[in-house]
Amino acid sequence: MSIQSLETYLPKNTLDHLRNWFSDYSIHIKITKNRNSKLGDYRKLRDLSHEITINSTLQPQLFFFVLTHELAHLIAFEKFGRRISPHGKEWKHTFRQMLLESIEVYEEDLKPIILKFSKSPKANFMASPDLVKYFHIENHEDDDVFMEKLSAGDYFVYRDEKYLLEGLIKKNYLCLNLASGRKYAFKPLARVKKLS
């Protein structure tokens, strides 16, 4: 996929950054169906080219953010070698630089969140409550809520299963699956359907 054909997924004014970042590499970009397990992914292919996959359902600002995350893997591995940790200090440094370089691409209300995130980039998008909340505000028109909005004793549905919120364990929420009787820990930003 060419850089120009990516334009429909991206916010305005991103192509110069991408041309600059892509310039030295042979990269295959694959746009995939929505995957719950990940937003994007990077790998080096046997022919020494690079492949990045990104979910097609992402909002343009998030699409660019995820693409930047995955490109940071490629650039860090190429610059520092394949033995570095995938989300180690070299990747964090590379990702931070790329985020700061492209900060003007983001909406005004998103810029402070990106700047805060760039101080210590996280491997997983879900580890940044500010980013998760920002991208879910307009993304969900349904009546789902974040787990952290529930209280002990509340009932909710997650993936067609009913649960009872029992309480907090460390930073997660201990919940009882009513069908199986098993207990599960839910992250604060898991989206669930509260039952009245």
Side-chain angles (χ1 to χ4, degrees), residues 35-50:
R35 297 169 291 184
N36 290 328
S37 59
K38 57 186 164 184
L39 303 180
D41 149 294
Y42 160 77
R43 64 190 180 117
K44 190 164 188 174
L45 302 176
R46 286 183 182 175
D47 66 2
L48 303 183
S49 65
H50 307 272

Side-chain angles (χ1 to χ4, degrees), residues 54-70:
I54 302 185
N55 292 5
S56 62
T57 54
L58 303 181
Q59 299 170 38
Q61 302 273 314
L62 182 53
F63 190 98
F64 181 68
F65 179 85
V66 172
L67 180 55
T68 305
H69 172 123
E70 302 307 339

Side-chain angles (χ1 to χ4, degrees), residues 156-174:
F156 65 93
V157 174
Y158 179 75
R159 295 188 178 167
D160 299 325
E161 300 266 344
K162 289 184 182 175
Y163 292 85
L164 167 66
L165 171 54
E166 293 187 336
L168 199 59
I169 47 166
K170 295 187 180 175
K171 293 182 179 180
N172 295 320
Y173 293 84
L174 183 64

Side-chain angles (χ1 to χ4, degrees), residues 23-116:
S23 61
D24 297 332
Y25 309 104
S26 172
I27 306 171
H28 307 282
I29 306 261
K30 289 187 178 177
I31 309 300
T32 66
K33 294 178 183 172
N34 189 42
R35 297 169 291 184
N36 290 328
S37 59
K38 57 186 164 184
L39 303 180
D41 149 294
Y42 160 77
R43 64 190 180 117
K44 190 164 188 174
L45 302 176
R46 286 183 182 175
D47 66 2
L48 303 183
S49 65
H50 307 272
E51 180 181 84
I52 291 175
T53 65
I54 302 185
N55 292 5
S56 62
T57 54
L58 303 181
Q59 299 170 38
Q61 302 273 314
L62 182 53
F63 190 98
F64 181 68
F65 179 85
V66 172
L67 180 55
T68 305
H69 172 123
E70 302 307 339
L71 281 167
H73 282 301
L74 183 165
I75 293 168
F77 279 130
E78 291 298 306
K79 185 174 180 182
F80 299 103
R82 303 300 294 178
R83 292 176 180 254
I84 63 169
S85 172
H87 294 106
K89 64 181 181 182
E90 297 87 356
W91 172 81
K92 287 183 180 200
H93 173 75
T94 304
F95 192 21
R96 179 183 308 111
Q97 281 187 312
M98 293 169 77
L99 288 171
L100 296 175
E101 219 174 275
S102 60
I103 193 69
E104 80 282 350
V105 165
Y106 296 100
E107 299 287 341
E108 287 305 316
D109 59 343
L110 180 54
K111 284 179 184 177
I113 297 170
I114 297 290
L115 288 171
K116 180 181 172 187

Side-chain angles (χ1 to χ4, degrees), residues 140-158:
H140 289 272
E141 295 173 10
D142 53 31
D143 53 356
D144 284 3
V145 295
F146 289 116
M147 197 69 215
E148 67 184 7
K149 297 292 184 192
L150 301 181
S151 304
D154 284 346
Y155 291 90
F156 65 93
V157 174
Y158 179 75

